[in-house]
Amino acid sequence: FLSLVAEFCCGFFVILILGNFWFLAVLYLLWLYLDWETPCTGGRRSQWVRSWTVWKYFREYFPIHLIKTSDLSPNHNYLLGFHPHGVLVAGAFGNFCTGPSFKNLFPGLTPYLHIMPIWFGCPFFREYIMSAGMVSASKESVSYVLNNEGGGHASIIVIGGAEESLNAHPGSLTLNILKRKGFIKMALKHGAHLVPVFSFGENELFKQVANPKGSWLRNVQEKLQKIMGFALPLFHARGVFQYSFGLIPYRQPIHTVVGSPIPVKRNLNPTTEEIEQLHALYLQKLRKLFEEHKRNYGIPEHKSLIFE
């Protein structure tokens, strides 16, 4: 979805350059130069954009739900780890970038969804995603959000990243997280409380071409991901008037469950051991969150999360 909108915006920019409106393209390039750091300094959200009626229909299509399990005091800053990535990351976008659900459930908190910096290099598209409340996933950007002395900020990071989207098969419960500890170090440096978030149904929206590890397709996808910075899963779902093939996601309910916060004391220079201990605790709390809610959302009792 993001790719399609980005391509449209880039195409529109090319039309401006090649057409009789090249001067508008030049003015925009000047604006881009002057505004380059904004995605790393809290972005530029627009409540008008976040409240568009189209997002209401987007959330109701699946539908998308946000479930609260514990209060989050606005006196603290939080780092929410979102799992799994899926193909579309629909739960993260629908719950944290549109509508009133998050604000109603967690009053006093402002959510910031961190995405890959590459998206903010797309002309016009960057303005759209910043308006929705998205900011860069760079260290500088996360630090800016979590450095709010008065509290009330919530950084949402899709921990598995683009690599995890290659595991987004229906029924898959594999998370790329064992080697991802940068978010733990960031939480410690800023004293941001950690909150595990699991989005049930995220992997059910598309069917992906079989790409087991070691296969030629998976090898190509992983090499391209390292080169370009984002993955290219080969997927399909339904069409507009038929259900056998297309790129429109299946209508599968998404329940994004926000867990209880893990208190974190500020530590500007955490040791490797301290990072490892907090990472292990986070994994424990994430697994517990999944186990407590899986039977509510159709996950068989014998199935559990797989950490890689």
Side-chain angles (χ1 to χ4, degrees):
F1 177 74
L2 286 178
S3 299
L4 291 175
V5 179
E7 289 174 7
F8 173 81
C9 291
C10 290
F12 179 69
F13 184 71
V14 171
I15 291 174
L16 288 181
I17 295 176
L18 299 179
N20 295 324
F21 301 98
W22 59 267
F23 62 94
L24 292 178
V26 172
L27 288 176
Y28 183 78
L29 286 175
L30 176 61
W31 162 256
L32 195 62
Y33 173 77
L34 296 173
D35 195 57
W36 190 254
E37 296 299 322
T38 301
C40 294
T41 54
R44 186 172 46 249
R45 69 181 56 224
S46 166
Q47 191 55 42
W48 176 66
V49 173
R50 289 168 61 87
S51 301
W52 281 352
T53 302
V54 66
W55 303 136
K56 176 177 178 289
Y57 294 123
F58 172 79
R59 294 191 304 274
E60 291 179 349
Y61 171 80
F62 298 97
I64 296 174
H65 304 281
L66 186 65
I67 292 88
K68 170 183 175 180
T69 63
S70 176
D71 289 332
L72 299 181
S73 170
N75 297 324
H76 302 290
N77 293 317
Y78 299 89
L79 195 159
L80 279 64
F82 184 92
H83 313 271
H85 184 287
V87 172
L88 190 62
V89 204
F93 178 76
N95 286 311
F96 304 120
C97 295
T98 75
S101 295
F102 186 86
K103 182 179 179 180
N104 292 340
L105 292 177
F106 304 103
L109 286 184
T110 302
Y112 295 83
L113 179 60
H114 296 270
I115 64 174
M116 290 187 298
I118 189 174
W119 294 115
F120 296 96
C122 299
F124 301 114
F125 180 67
R126 69 189 296 274
E127 320 303 336
Y128 156 69
I129 56 179
M130 277 197 290
S131 296
M134 297 184 220
V135 292
S136 172
S138 67
K139 292 181 180 179
E140 296 78 13
S141 177
V142 177
S143 291
Y144 184 92
V145 173
L146 297 180
N147 204 34
N148 187 39
E149 293 185 2
H153 282 188
S155 280
I156 296 96
I157 301 178
V158 184
I159 305 299
E163 183 182 358
E164 193 173 83
S165 67
L166 299 179
N167 290 328
H169 296 273
S172 174
L173 296 172
T174 300
L175 304 181
N176 291 61
I177 191 172
L178 292 182
K179 296 180 180 180
R180 297 180 181 265
K181 299 170 185 176
F183 74 104
I184 298 292
K185 188 175 182 179
M186 193 65 66
L188 282 165
K189 283 190 171 184
H190 294 280
H193 295 193
L194 282 167
V195 182
V197 178
F198 196 87
S199 195
F200 292 89
E202 200 75 45
N203 284 339
E204 320 306 317
L205 306 185
F206 297 93
K207 291 180 179 178
Q208 190 172 169
V209 175
N211 60 342
K213 289 192 174 182
S215 65
W216 70 269
L217 176 58
R218 186 61 168 255
N219 291 335
V220 170
Q221 289 175 319
E222 290 176 347
K223 288 180 180 178
L224 289 175
Q225 190 261 325
K226 291 179 180 179
I227 295 172
M228 300 183 297
F230 57 90
L232 292 173
L234 298 180
F235 59 88
H236 68 88
R238 54 163 290 183
V240 178
F241 302 110
Q242 44 78 29
Y243 294 86
S244 57
F245 189 82
L247 295 179
I248 298 176
Y250 293 115
R251 297 191 69 176
Q252 295 289 339
I254 299 172
H255 295 88
T256 304
V257 184
V258 180
S260 301
I262 303 170
V264 177
K265 290 185 178 180
R266 190 174 187 182
N267 184 348
L268 294 178
N269 296 294
T271 64
T272 301
E273 183 180 358
E274 289 170 331
I275 294 173
E276 292 287 349
Q277 287 178 349
L278 185 55
H279 187 261
L281 177 60
Y282 179 86
L283 295 183
Q284 177 186 333
K285 295 295 184 181
L286 175 59
R287 188 181 295 278
K288 180 181 178 182
L289 177 70
F290 174 81
E291 292 295 332
E292 288 179 346
H293 294 273
K294 67 180 184 181
R295 56 187 61 86
N296 296 333
Y297 306 115
I299 307 295
E301 188 66 32
H302 68 277
K303 285 204 167 187
S304 296
L305 293 179
I306 300 172
F307 297 146
E308 290 187 345

